Structure formats: structure tokens, C-alpha cells
């Protein structure tokens, strides 16, 4: 490049900088300053929200007599053209203009002339970016709320179809007591419901408008912040102008909800990985959510579940990263806060694809009922039923019944058989009050059926709750 060409580029950058900063700066930033300062590479994702905010602001400025109707019309027409150019791929984004706000405004000035220069009256990039970001997070929150309802639907359908499919329940990853596959699915249904409620709840708090707070102190122009808030679908304007531009707890709350949700999904993903292994053989996964091996032709790897399990690390990292950025920042706005968007963008995209992937896997997953039933009886899982029988029928205190049952478990272990395979004589050698009716409670089906307390594993309770779950999902999807 010739020195003349280079000089021309420097002049162009200086002119663009002058457009942004006015008369305070005579020269453009260094290449390094531009590289660290520019955010257009990622915040161009906010173009729809930025244009929507500018439309609302321009309309309000005209309604309050701050700009003319003619200027408003020129601005709105120009914004329509800018949006069409961005969506059509013909818009040229400039790092020298730093961010989406100045890129849109610069192009608007080329289209609408002096009228565009009036658009920034009574606002700052501080309230502008806070508004854009809230609008974007709100839209993503709505998508995630819907996706979680669909995940809950998949879990509820599996629960309804497998209300009486007996399987082992685990504690410490050791077989504990018989439950049903449907009951297990409803546990995740409840978790996903709380996840969804966190997003629903946080949406209410974020749905206040920062627009009109300007840099930090508000403005001397007679603006109508309630008008712009309503136009953008906010419940109200934020009460304090300093808080409006400096608050990022809405982003932190979004990330916290996302991190908790992702953590729940890792537990389900981990179980799918384990259950689909040859050693467990509890479920079969479809070809849609598995992959093969480049060297071992027999392999069918649960990669979708493994990736869903891993991606929680990114989401949790995003939360920790933004918490660290915001820690100790003085009010009101600091450039540090430019680092708020990338973690939220990444976490939202990651969480949504994980939820959708898990929904697909749950819908396609086929429980292997014979294997589940076989595993449900391994590991003396009906021992608690024996202890309960001793309490009810032999009138033993539970601690004594616990001791008797433990002795019988040790006897069965030594004999290499299950509790139900001990003879009545074997049992009576430990406690003479035991009768033949004890064997009625020592099947896995009887064990599961007996758990009829509210929220218990009985197929009767599971079928009832699965029906209620499907009804709840239907309402959620209709909202």
C-alpha cells in the first residue's frame, strides 16, 4: 500500500471518529485501540433490537414535539432501509464505527441526511445498549421458556407410557428400591418445571425499559419514557436513571438460570450415557442422536448426551465470567460492561440447542423393560419392604426391623440368592414372627405398587401425575 493510500485510510478513520466523538478528538484511534474497543463483531446480533429502539425513540421525540413529524418519517423510512440491507446481506459493518449503534446511525445519516442526526437527541449509547440487550435477553428467554415446555412434554409422555415399567432406583449409584421408569422421568419433569419458572420469573424483572435514562442522569428534554416503554413491550420504564444504565443483574440472572438448567440436564445426560451402555442396557437410543466409531464398527456412541453434558461447562463459565466483570464496578457505566454480551450470547445459544437435543433424545428413547425389571430386583432392593412388613405385621420397632432385615440380607448374600429365595425356615431362624405372607411384599412389582404416598413411585400415583403433567404442558405451550 502506498503512503498516499495509507494516509487516505487514516483520514477516513479520523473522519469516522470525528462523526462519533464530535470535535473533542482530532485523530483516530490506534489499530490496537480499535481492536480492543470495537464490539461490532458480536453486537451486530442486536441490530433488530437497536432498530426497534430507535423507531420507538423517534416516534416519541415527534410526539413530544422535540423533532418534527417530517424528521420522524425520514428516520423511520431510513431505519426500514437499514434493516432491509442488514437482512439482505448488503450492509457493510465497520469496526471503526465500533458498535451496532454507530453503524446503524452512520448508515442512517447517509440515507436520511440531517434528520438522522436528530435521532440521538435525549439518549445515549448507555441507555441504548441497555435497552437493546434487555430486548434481546427477553426474546431468548421466551424461546427457552417454550423449549423447556417441550422438554417437559417429552418427559411427561415417557412417564405416561412407562408408569408401570419397573426399574431400580439408586442412591450412591447403588440399587436402592424399585421405582418405575415413569417415576424417574417425572423427577426430571419437576426439575425442568423449576428451571422454566426461573426464566418466567426473571423475565418479569428484566421487563423494564432503560431508554430515556441517557448517559446516567436522564435528560432535560420533555421525553415520554412511558411511551417508549410501552412501544417496546416493557411493563414500565426503570425508576432510576443511574440504575437503568448500570444494571446487568438481568443478564446475570439469565445466566444463573441457564447454569442451573444446564446442570440439571447434565444429570439426565449422564444417566442416558450410563443407561445406554452394554453393561446397563436400560435404554436404546435412536440413530438420530448417536454416532459410530472410525475404527470399531460395533460402536453406537451417545455423543449427543455427552455433548449436552459437557456444554454446561461453557454456560457455568459464562456466569462466572460476567460475575467477575461486574464485581466491584462503580456506578454508572464503565467500558468493562461491553464484556457482558458475548457470554450471554454464547450461553443462550448453547442452552437452547442442549434443551432441544435432550428433548429429541427423550422422545426417541426406548426403555428396555425386561432389562429394567431384572435390574430392579438385583442388590436386595426389596429389603426395605421386608423391614416395613416386620413393623406392620410383627409389631417390631423400625430400628429392630432394620436389624433383622440386615441379618437376613447377609444370610441371602452368603447363600448367593435374593431375599425372596430364602426359605421361611431361614427367615424364622432370625425372627420367629415372620410368616409366609412376607413373600407377598418381596417382588419388585409389589414393592413399587406399595409406594402410594403422594409423590411416590406407585404406578397408580405415577399415572395420575403423568396425566397432570401432560395437561400442564398443554397449558404452557398455549401461553
Amino acid at each position: 500500500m502506498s503512503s498516499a493510500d495509507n494516509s487516505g485510510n487514516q483520514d477516513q478513520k479520523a473522519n469516522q471518529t470525528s462523526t462519533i466523538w464530535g470535535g473533542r478528538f482530532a485523530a483516530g484511534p490506534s489499530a490496537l485501540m480499535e481492536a480492543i474497543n470495537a464490539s461490532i463483531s458480536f453486537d451486530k446480533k442486536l441490530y433488530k433490537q437497536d432498530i426497534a429502539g430507535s423507531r420507538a425513540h423517534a416516534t416519541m421525540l415527534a410526539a413530544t414535539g422535540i423533532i418534527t413529524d417530517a424528521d420522524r418519517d425520514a428516520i423511520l423510512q431510513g431505519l426500514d432501509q437499514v434493516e432491509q440491507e442488514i437482512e439482505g446481506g448488503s450492509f457493510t459493518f465497520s469496526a471503526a464505527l465500533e458498535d451496532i449503534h454507530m453503524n446503524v446511525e452512520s448508515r442512517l445519516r447517509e440515507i436520511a441526511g440531517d434528520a438522522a442526526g436528530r435521532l440521538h437527541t435525549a439518549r445515549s449509547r448507555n441507555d441504548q445498549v441497555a435497552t437493546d440487550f434487555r430486548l434481546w435477553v427477553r426474546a431468548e428467554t421466551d424461546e427457552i421458556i417454550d423449549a423447556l415446555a417441550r422438554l417437559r412434554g417429552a418427559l411427561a409422555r415417557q412417564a405416561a407410557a412407562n408408569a408401570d415399567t419397573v426399574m431400580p432406583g439408586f442412591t450412591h449409584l447403588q440399587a436402592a428400591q424399585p421405582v418405575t421408569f415413569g417415576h424417574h422421568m417425572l423427577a426430571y419433569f419437576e426439575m425442568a418445571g423449576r428451571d422454566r419458572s426461573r426464566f418466567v420469573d426473571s423475565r418479569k424483572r428484566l421487563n423494564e425499559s432503560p431508554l430515556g435514562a441517557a448517559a446516567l442522569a436522564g435528560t432535560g428534554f420533555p421525553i415520554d419514557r412511558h411511551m417508549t416503554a410501552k412501544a417496546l413491550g416493557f411493563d414500565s420504564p426503570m425508576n432510576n436513571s443511574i440504575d437503568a444504565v448500570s444494571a446487568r443483574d438481568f443478564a446475570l440472572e439469565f445466566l444463573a438460570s441457564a447454569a442451573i438448567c444446564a446442570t440439571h440436564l447434565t444429570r439426565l445426560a449422564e444417566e442416558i450415557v450410563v443407561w445406554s451402555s452394554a453393561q446397563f442396557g436400560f435404554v436404546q437410543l435412536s440413530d438420530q442422536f448417536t454416532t459410530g466409531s472410525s475404527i470399531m464398527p460395533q460402536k453406537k456412541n451417545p455423543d449427543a448426551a455427552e455433548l449436552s453434558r459437557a456444554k454446561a461447562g461453557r454456560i457455568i463459565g459464562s456466569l462466572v465470567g460476567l460475575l467477575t466483570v461486574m464485581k466491584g464496578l462503580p456506578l454508572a457505566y464503565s467500558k468493562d460492561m461491553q464484556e457482558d454480551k458475548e457470554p450471554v450470547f454464547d450461553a443462550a445459544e448453547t442452552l437452547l440447542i442442549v434443551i432441544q437435543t435432550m428433548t429429541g433424545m427423550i422422545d426417541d428413547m426406548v426403555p428396555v423393560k425386561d432389562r429394567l425389571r431384572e435390574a430392579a430386583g438385583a442388590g436386595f432392593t426389596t429389603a426395605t419392604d421386608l423391614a416395613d412388613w416386620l413393623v406392620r405385621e410383627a409389631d417390631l420397632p423400625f430400628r429392630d426391623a432394620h436389624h433383622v432385615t440386615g441379618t437376613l440380607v447377609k444370610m441371602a448374600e452368603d447363600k448367593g440368592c435374593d431375599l425372596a429365595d430364602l426359605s421361611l425356615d431361614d427367615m424364622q431362624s432370625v425372627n420367629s414372627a415372620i410368616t409366609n405372607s412376607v413373600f407377598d411384599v418381596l417382588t419388585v412389582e409389589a414393592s413399587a405398587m406399595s409406594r402410594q404416598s403422594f409423590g411416590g413411585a406407585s404406578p397408580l400415583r405415577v399415572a395420575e401425575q403423568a396425566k397432570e403433567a401432560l395437561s400442564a404442558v398443554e397449558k404452557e405451550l398455549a401461553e
Side-chain angles (χ1 to χ4, degrees):
M1 178 184 292
S2 69
S3 60
D5 289 339
N6 188 49
S7 175
N9 286 339
Q10 289 177 341
D11 289 344
Q12 183 180 13
K13 284 187 178 182
N15 288 337
Q16 288 180 321
T17 301
S18 178
T19 300
I20 300 173
W21 306 123
R24 177 64 179 84
F25 288 78
S30 71
L32 285 173
M33 181 59 194
E34 183 178 295
I36 196 173
N37 192 46
S39 59
I40 189 60
S41 62
F42 55 85
D43 70 16
K44 61 186 176 183
K45 190 186 290 283
L46 299 174
Y47 80 90
K48 277 187 174 294
Q49 290 76 22
D50 194 70
I51 290 171
S54 290
R55 286 187 179 118
H57 189 64
T59 302
M60 180 274 297
L61 290 176
T64 54
I66 298 171
I67 66 173
T68 66
D69 289 352
D71 283 341
R72 174 203 61 202
D73 293 344
I75 290 168
L76 294 180
Q77 290 171 13
L79 288 170
D80 287 345
Q81 182 174 333
V82 171
E83 186 171 41
Q84 290 167 10
E85 289 177 3
I86 294 174
E87 293 181 346
S90 62
F91 189 94
T92 301
F93 293 100
S94 168
L97 291 170
E98 295 187 7
D99 56 33
I100 187 61
H101 323 298
M102 297 311 302
N103 270 266
V104 169
E105 185 175 322
S106 177
R107 177 61 181 138
L108 182 64
R109 190 70 181 261
E110 292 173 355
I111 297 168
D114 288 345
R118 302 184 187 281
L119 174 60
H120 209 54
T121 306
R123 76 174 182 183
S124 162
R125 283 196 296 179
N126 293 356
D127 62 333
Q128 193 176 356
V129 67
T131 302
D132 293 357
F133 199 19
R134 281 178 184 261
L135 289 170
W136 191 91
V137 172
R138 187 178 71 187
E140 291 299 304
T141 297
D142 288 342
E143 276 204 69
I144 289 169
I145 288 170
D146 181 73
L148 283 169
R150 296 182 188 282
L151 172 62
R152 277 161 56 84
L155 292 164
R157 286 190 290 276
Q158 283 284 10
N162 292 282
D164 59 354
T165 300
V166 180
M167 69 172 287
F170 295 92
T171 61
H172 309 279
L173 202 56
Q174 304 292 312
Q177 291 178 290
V179 295
T180 71
F181 193 81
H183 192 56
H184 203 99
M185 291 294 99
L186 285 177
Y188 285 109
F189 177 87
E190 294 295 327
M191 291 183 202
R194 292 192 297 274
D195 291 330
R196 186 176 182 275
S197 71
R198 271 183 280 273
F199 283 105
V200 169
D201 195 43
S202 66
R203 189 193 191 281
K204 296 173 186 175
R205 277 184 290 280
L206 76 81
N207 204 35
E208 296 179 336
S209 175
L211 192 57
L216 78 160
T219 177
F221 290 95
I223 61 172
D224 185 344
R225 292 189 62 209
H226 288 84
M227 179 180 176
T228 52
K230 183 177 180 181
L232 293 170
F234 289 113
D235 295 329
S236 64
M238 295 182 72
N239 290 330
N240 183 280
S241 60
I242 294 178
D243 180 49
V245 299
S246 60
R248 291 297 183 272
D249 52 338
F250 70 92
L252 290 168
E253 193 167 9
F254 176 87
L255 289 176
S257 298
I260 294 170
C261 179
T263 300
H264 282 159
L265 292 173
T266 66
R267 302 181 74 176
L268 178 54
E270 167 69 7
E271 293 197 317
I272 290 174
V273 171
V274 172
W275 289 351
S276 63
S277 68
Q279 288 71 25
F280 272 73
F282 283 4
V283 299
Q284 293 177 344
L285 301 178
S286 75
D287 292 350
Q288 294 186 78
F289 296 100
T290 54
T291 64
S293 165
S294 63
I295 190 172
M296 296 170 284
Q298 84 280 10
K299 294 296 293 296
K300 188 174 184 179
N301 299 322
D303 283 6
E306 291 173 354
L307 287 167
S308 296
R309 182 178 60 187
K311 286 181 182 295
R314 289 172 63 165
I315 297 171
I316 294 167
S318 293
L319 171 60
V320 173
L322 186 53
L323 281 168
T324 306
V325 167
M326 296 304 298
K327 183 192 73 66
L329 276 188
L331 299 179
Y333 180 84
S334 298
K335 195 68 170 181
D336 310 51
M337 291 161 68
Q338 183 169 288
E339 294 298 310
D340 59 359
K341 292 165 205 66
E342 287 182 284
V344 174
F345 291 164
D346 184 72
E349 180 181 343
T350 301
L351 181 62
L352 188 59
I353 195 169
V354 168
I355 294 171
Q356 291 169 339
T357 300
M358 294 299 291
T359 301
M361 275 194 292
I362 295 300
D363 262 330
D364 285 357
M365 186 170 63
V366 177
V368 183
K369 297 186 178 184
D370 290 345
R371 174 63 189 133
L372 287 166
R373 199 268 175 215
E374 176 188 2
F380 308 106
T381 57
T382 59
T384 304
D385 299 279
L386 174 54
D388 289 346
W389 185 92
L390 288 166
V391 170
R392 286 193 310 269
E393 304 298 329
D395 199 29
L396 266 65
F398 183 80
R399 284 302 170 200
D400 294 343
H402 186 284
H403 180 77
V404 169
T405 302
T407 303
L408 289 170
V409 167
K410 182 66 168 62
M411 180 186 293
E413 190 174 50
D414 291 343
K415 288 177 174 285
C417 67
D418 201 0
L419 281 171
D421 298 322
L422 291 174
S423 68
L424 181 60
D425 288 342
D426 289 334
M427 291 196 177
Q428 289 180 338
S429 71
V430 177
N431 188 288
S432 60
I434 297 176
T435 67
N436 207 49
S437 67
V438 73
F439 295 102
D440 294 338
V441 304
L442 296 183
T443 67
V444 292
E445 289 80 8
S447 176
M449 184 60 74
S450 71
R451 310 297 171 187
Q452 295 192 25
S453 56
F454 181 80
S458 166
L460 297 175
R461 299 287 85 81
V462 174
E464 291 170 356
Q465 293 197 342
K467 183 178 179 180
E468 291 175 4
L470 288 167
S471 178
V473 169
E474 189 176 336
K475 291 178 182 177
E476 289 171 3
L477 292 173
E479 290 175 357

